[in-house]
Amino acid sequence: DDLDAEKASLMDKIEKVTSEKELAEKTLHESQMQCQSLTESKSEIEEQLAAANGTINSLQSEKESTAEAHDQLIAEKAALTEEIKKVTSEKELAEETRDQLQREKESLDEKCQSLTESQSEIEEQLAAA
């Protein structure tokens, strides 16, 4: 009877240990599957990170190119502004010169008219004499 009780106790212990072993194996398998899934996720994230870094580098280069182009445009604008000032100044000087020459022409036209009238009067006096 003691033997049967001891046998039953050992059988219970064997069943318990077997059950614990199966549970441990199941838990280990689930952990391995979870680890594999996490490793795959990590690889995907690393690929995405590499792609993002590539995009960042590309955008940084584009930003630098744009900044250089912007600086060039500012320099060109400054040069064009100076050229506009120069041309405007030359235009104003040309207009002043034109106006002065127009006044001188009008003055000479008046003198010519006066001399022509004087010449006609002298010719009339000579013809009368």
Side-chain angles (χ1 to χ4, degrees), residues 75-97:
E76 289 175 20
K77 178 185 174 191
L80 288 172
T81 300
E82 286 303 312
E83 185 66 21
I84 288 169
K85 286 179 185 176
K86 178 182 170 191
V87 168
T88 301
S89 175
E90 290 173 356
K91 177 186 173 224
E92 289 171 356
L93 181 60
E95 288 172 345
E96 289 173 11
T97 303

Side-chain angles (χ1 to χ4, degrees), residues 11-85:
M11 289 301 284
D12 284 345
K13 286 181 183 178
I14 289 171
E15 199 175 301
K16 185 179 174 187
V17 168
T18 302
S19 177
E20 288 175 357
K21 178 186 171 200
E22 288 172 358
L23 183 60
E25 287 174 347
K26 182 180 175 188
T27 303
L28 176 63
H29 178 70
E30 288 174 357
S31 294
Q32 288 172 335
M33 295 302 290
Q34 201 173 27
C35 184
Q36 182 179 352
S37 176
L38 289 172
T39 301
E40 290 171 3
S41 293
K42 178 185 172 193
S43 294
E44 290 173 8
I45 290 170
E46 287 173 343
E47 288 174 13
Q48 291 172 354
L49 180 60
N53 283 334
T55 300
I56 288 169
N57 290 338
S58 174
L59 290 173
Q60 183 64 32
S61 294
E62 190 175 332
K63 177 185 172 188
E64 290 169 4
S65 295
T66 302
E68 289 172 9
H70 178 261
D71 291 346
Q72 265 185 324
L73 287 173
I74 288 177
E76 289 175 20
K77 178 185 174 191
L80 288 172
T81 300
E82 286 303 312
E83 185 66 21
I84 288 169
K85 286 179 185 176

